[in-house]
Amino acid sequence: SSCEKVGEWEKALMLFKECEDAGLKPDHIIFNALISSGDKGNRPDVAQHYFDSMIANGIERDVISYCALISAYASQGHLQGATETWEKLKRDEKVQPTIAVFHELIRSCQVHANAQEALGFFEELRSHGLSPVTFTYSILLPILAEKGMNEKVSELQEELRRTQESEQDGGEMRYTSL
C-alpha cells in the first residue's frame, strides 16, 4: 500500500511476487493497492494486469478496483480503456458505481476535450441516482468551455450555484472518495 501511494509499481510487483513465493494468497485489498500502484506510476497497463489477475485468481472486484483502473486510464487520457472498464463495471451485478467513478470517467475526457462523452457520463451519473457536487462541475465545465458549448456551460454554472448554496446551507454532503 505504501508503494501504491508513491507510484512505485515496480517495488509493489516485487513485494507481490515475494508474497506469492511465500505461499500467501492476496485478497482484494492487496490487488486494489496493486492496481492503484499502476495508476500512481502512470502505468495503466500495470493496473490492467493486476485487475486481470484478480479475475484469473477468482478474487471479486469491488468499486475501488474499478475506480482505480478507470483512474489509471484517465490519468493518461486513455478514454477507450476507461470506457471499456466502465462497461465491465456496469455488467458486474455486485458493484454499484459511486460518484468517484463518474469523476474519473469525466476526467478521462479532458485530454481530448471529448465534451459529448463527458456530458454522457454526467447524465449517466444522475441516472444512477447520484447527484453532482462542486467537484463534478469543476472537471466538466472546462471541457465544455473548450468546445465552445457556452449555452450548456451557463446552464450548468447555474446548477453549480444552486449545488454550492445547498452544500453551504447545511445540505447533505454527497461527495465520497469512493
Side-chain angles (χ1 to χ4, degrees):
S1 179
S2 61
C3 294
E4 163 259 323
K5 286 183 172 69
V6 295
E8 295 182 9
W9 63 270
E10 292 162 320
K11 191 175 210 177
L13 177 60
M14 184 183 72
L15 291 171
F16 177 68
K17 289 197 181 301
E18 285 178 17
C19 289
E20 280 187 320
D21 292 344
L24 300 173
K25 289 200 66 98
D27 60 9
H28 75 282
I29 295 170
I30 297 297
F31 274 107
N32 286 345
L34 292 167
I35 294 167
S36 289
S37 74
D39 176 17
K40 304 293 188 283
N42 297 318
R43 294 289 308 268
D45 59 320
V46 170
Q48 184 67 60
H49 168 76
Y50 290 131
F51 187 87
D52 293 342
S53 293
M54 286 181 86
I55 296 167
N57 285 289
I59 309 250
E60 301 255 339
R61 279 91 44 225
D62 60 15
V63 71
I64 297 169
S65 314
Y66 286 101
C67 193
L69 183 55
I70 291 169
S71 178
Y73 283 117
S75 295
Q76 297 302 304
H78 293 294
L79 179 57
Q80 181 178 349
T83 302
E84 288 172 2
T85 304
W86 168 238
E87 291 301 322
K88 288 177 189 173
L89 186 155
K90 289 195 299 188
R91 289 189 302 271
D92 190 332
E93 296 174 358
K94 296 179 181 176
V95 179
Q96 294 298 311
T98 62
I99 196 162
V101 169
F102 287 101
H103 288 163
E104 293 303 329
L105 289 166
I106 294 168
R107 196 168 66 86
S108 71
C109 299
Q110 283 178 323
V111 170
H112 304 290
N114 191 325
Q116 292 305 320
E117 192 82 21
L119 273 173
F121 291 136
F122 183 75
E123 292 306 321
E124 207 161 349
L125 175 152
R126 289 181 166 147
S127 74
H128 282 274
L130 300 170
S131 298
V133 295
T134 300
F135 184 71
T136 314
Y137 295 98
S138 74
I139 54 179
L140 176 63
L141 288 172
I143 298 169
L144 304 180
E146 186 174 330
K147 288 297 185 178
M149 299 176 72
N150 299 331
E151 196 171 306
K152 189 66 174 174
V153 168
S154 294
E155 174 189 325
L156 291 174
Q157 284 175 327
E158 179 56 30
E159 223 177 87
L160 168 60
R161 185 188 62 72
R162 289 190 306 270
T163 297
Q164 289 174 326
E165 285 174 359
S166 172
E167 288 172 356
Q168 289 174 356
D169 290 341
E172 175 186 339
M173 284 301 289
R174 292 174 295 257
Y175 178 77
T176 62
S177 62
L178 303 175

